[in-house]
Amino acid sequence: MSIPSATPTEPGDRGAEGRTAVDVAQLRIAGLDDREIFDATTWIALRPAFATVNGALRAAPDPELRTKAPPRSGPRSPSAGDGSLVRVRGRVRSCRMRPGGVGLRRSPPRGVGMKLGRALVLAVVVAVPLAAPATATPPDAASATATPPDVATAQVAQAVRAGTLGQGHGVADSCTGVVQGHQVDLGCLTNVVTRDKASADPLTTPAPAGFSPADLARAYHLPDAKTGERGMVTIVGIGAYPTLEADLTTYRSQFGLPECTTANGCLKIADYHGGPALKPVGGLGEIEEAYATETALDVDLASAACPMCRITMVQIPMDVGRLLNAVLLQLPGLLADDFGTAVSYAASQHSSAVSMSYGVPTGLQGDYLGTGAPAVALHHPGMAVVAASGDKGYLGGPQLWPQELPWVTSVGGTSLSGAGGSFVQKAWGSLFAPHGEQQRWVGAGSGCALDLGPAQGQPAGIAANCSGHRAGSDVSAVADPLTGVAVYRSYAPNNGKAGWLIVGGTSAASPFVAGLYARGGRLSGVDGPNTLYSAPLGTLADVSSGSNAQHGPADCAQFKPVVCSAGPGWDGPTGLGVPVGLGAF
């Protein structure tokens, strides 16, 4: 619901009750919804008024409260009011705003008190203008003062939630790099928000500005963090990440998630054979930084989806030869074999779900990737195998591997806007201009795998959109980097800046959905996306607007319009829709 008073629309405008949009954004980051923000700021702001009245009345606290109160140190004026201790007769209570008017109450509104522990300072700052007008700053002083970092972060956070971040910031594909003199696509599917439209440098902030776990829980109607199974989510990635555990600790502690470390058995980091974690490779800092950003996104979003789950990080060694074979020679077979080895190891560890935020063009080896050894290695009924659908929008030709496989759940993406309890989602697709490059299209991947049969459990009516072949994707979640998620990454061997990033791509959606599979726990019948297609009514919300094709349905005229444009029911960019709780998993 909305705050029941005028909320300013511009970051610096202060509404009648003293709040600014930046203030509200800060409180939302702290975990309060709109009703709680109103309750908290009103309660805090009115405490001085109660203290003044009580002091003037010289009314004493309730005897039972006085006897239970801890001893105070230092002198205190006998006329000083307390504003929090109240009594029934002759003394004003603290109050709560209700739809029907003001109601008297002994304490802050239920539920708000617990959250004030992490939001109290913010709430007090927000409430100060309610109790006393702010002193005006002379124009010359204001112009000479830089925007404080916390205010700048809050402004960015507000823009993320309003869907307006693209007005002042760009997007960079963080999964490209120079390998042996060649600019290559590294296969991961991550995009980061940049400092401004003219920069290729990622925007880093001192505090998180992207969507938080609490935001995502509200957007997807998830239960409290302790509800659900405590399964294992395995993330398959490439390359070393020596600060992974420390970075994950920073993310989880920031948002109040349970500790997940190697010491307490929640986190495991191994190579794709189960050996020790990989060591950094000298001379490949740019590539390692790109892969580290991908991995940070993966483990953070798995944590957001399933705070109580165990996480296993399986690292595939960087092999420059295999990468160049896949990209330049269109021979991705050996690289696909590595992913098959990693997923087989995950199955041997009894993982609940596996996420791969990578997409490899099948090139000249489509048959091998579609039906050969790597395809077989990814088929594990009873374990959810999940992959990102891609970030280049509708693909009219050959699809990316492994999300094209019938026994892999292909996860598309949405743009997410809103806050509190009100969110809007549409299929992700937009133009962006990388620094120094021409505009290009980005969006959730979709298309038809014409050399493969339908996905497991995919109804004939959906496969008919692709002439009876595998139609992707199957399900979706937030992916647009301009409405992206908060990610913490400190490992930046290419002279990057450590800190909080705003990240998107279907690389965000894939680990999030994998986490929901592990948390939902109904895995015995899982074989690819089959259980999604038979999920109970109401457990997936249809996304019916937006397109992942630059020219809309005209771009996928060889198939059906829904392959590249959202509409009622299944569509390519968003599949069956977005999660509503855990019922589909």
Side-chain angles (χ1 to χ4, degrees), residues 9 24 94 129 169-170 199 211 228 280 440-441 464 512 524 538 557:
T9 56
V24 174
S94 58
H169 297 270
S199 174
F211 281 114
R440 52 184 157 141
W441 184 260
F512 188 76
S524 61

Side-chain angles (χ1 to χ4, degrees), residues 220-464:
Y220 297 111
H221 306 282
L222 301 181
D224 67 89
K226 294 183 179 180
T227 298
E229 299 296 320
R230 303 185 178 191
M232 180 193 297
V233 183
T234 293
I235 303 298
V236 174
I238 298 178
Y241 187 173
T243 63
L244 170 59
E245 183 171 1
D247 289 357
L248 180 61
T249 296
T250 297
Y251 178 88
R252 294 178 70 107
S253 62
Q254 170 70 35
F255 295 117
L257 304 182
E259 188 178 36
C260 187
T261 65
T262 54
N264 68 12
C266 173
L267 177 65
K268 180 177 181 179
I269 307 172
D271 76 0
Y272 65 154
H273 291 297
L278 299 178
K279 303 294 185 182
V281 177
L284 293 175
E286 179 184 14
I287 312 304
E288 286 201 334
E289 187 171 316
Y291 284 141
T293 303
E294 173 62 73
T295 298
L297 172 64
D298 290 342
V299 296
D300 288 356
L301 267 289
S303 298
C306 188
M308 305 301 292
C309 282
R310 292 167 290 148
I311 297 175
T312 296
M313 180 67 220
V314 178
Q315 299 173 323
I316 297 173
M318 280 195 298
D319 187 315
V320 171
R322 295 188 178 194
L323 181 61
L324 293 178
N325 280 345
V327 175
L328 301 181
L329 302 181
Q330 301 185 58
L331 298 173
L334 293 176
L335 185 58
D337 286 336
D338 289 342
F339 277 89
T341 300
V343 172
S344 294
Y345 170 70
S348 74
Q349 300 301 296
H350 307 291
S351 296
S352 305
V354 178
S355 175
M356 293 170 285
S357 295
Y358 291 77
V360 180
T362 55
L364 301 176
Q365 295 182 297
D367 288 344
Y368 181 65
L369 268 65
T371 60
V376 173
L378 266 60
H379 192 191
H380 294 277
M383 179 179 76
V385 181
V386 182
S389 71
D391 290 355
K392 293 181 172 59
Y394 166 71
L395 295 176
Q399 300 300 293
L400 295 178
W401 185 94
Q403 63 87 35
E404 67 166 4
L405 293 174
W407 41 84
V408 171
T409 299
S410 173
V411 185
T414 66
S415 296
L416 174 68
S417 58
S422 178
F423 293 87
V424 176
Q425 300 196 62
K426 64 179 182 178
W428 169 43
S430 62
L431 279 171
F432 85 105
H435 179 65
E437 301 180 30
Q438 292 183 337
Q439 279 192 330
R440 52 184 157 141
W441 184 260
V442 293
S446 72
C448 302
L450 298 179
D451 52 349
L452 297 171
Q456 306 288 73
Q458 193 170 61
I462 293 177

Side-chain angles (χ1 to χ4, degrees), residues 135-157:
T135 302
T137 303
D140 55 342
S143 61
T145 303
T147 303
D150 58 336
V151 174
T153 300
Q155 290 172 339
V156 171

